[in-house]
Amino acid sequence: MMMMMRSIGFILVLALAGATLSPALSKKCSLIGQWRNDLGSEMDVMAVSSTGNFFGTYLTSVSSTDKPISVSPLHGSQQMGDQEQPTFGFTVAWSFSDLTTVFVGQCFVDDKGKETLQTMWLLRKKVDSSQDNWKATLVGTNVFTRSEYKSRGRAGRVL
Ligand code: BTN
């Protein structure tokens, strides 16, 4: 009887540990889907290929120009393989201005399964001559979280 109770106790402890740890251990961070950053910009990563190339759209909430903002295409690549928190990079050649931004970052997933993209960017402005090159690049960071309310899910969008 004592042995049986010990075994049941052991099984319960294992089950509890599994339930607590499994989301953190099993969930892979995926770039696919809709994201919003700390500035309120919106990004939609539509598909990731088997080699890690991806594309999507970016709607920035801010601009360094006076031109009306519109949606721009983005193209990037992420590390593939057995990576739960992959690094990635993508480029946005802004469709409404002659500027270009490159982002690099990492897709993190916390112990509750919540995904976050921590990024750093370089924004290249177009200047008239190489003498002005020194003032042509801005640098910054953005944190993206999922826009759950618009989520279309992930199924069927891995190329
Ligand atoms: C422009 O200024 O004409 C292009 C738009 C640049 C938007 C920048 S890119 C880095 C930062 N993160 C955003 O979401 N928007 C700004």
Side-chain angles (χ1 to χ4, degrees), residues 14-109:
L14 277 184
L16 199 64
T20 313
L21 293 176
S22 55
L25 294 179
S26 63
K27 184 161 180 181
K28 266 193 182 180
C29 199
S30 167
L31 291 179
I32 294 173
Q34 291 166 319
W35 302 86
R36 178 186 292 264
N37 73 17
D38 48 298
L39 291 170
S41 300
E42 293 181 1
M43 174 170 76
D44 189 354
V45 177
M46 289 161 183
V48 180
S49 78
S50 58
T51 53
N53 295 321
F54 62 86
F55 66 91
T57 58
Y58 201 107
L59 181 61
T60 181
S61 63
V62 294
S63 171
S64 57
T65 70
D66 293 332
K67 297 180 178 152
I69 292 171
S70 58
V71 176
S72 299
L74 72 84
H75 294 92
S77 59
Q78 71 159 82
Q79 288 289 354
M80 295 299 280
D82 196 17
Q83 311 219 16
E84 300 202 330
Q85 302 193 118
T87 60
F88 61 85
F90 64 87
T91 302
V92 187
W94 301 102
S95 53
F96 59 92
S97 72
D98 46 16
L99 284 64
T100 301
T101 303
V102 291
F103 289 79
V104 286
Q106 185 168 355
C107 191
F108 291 103
V109 56

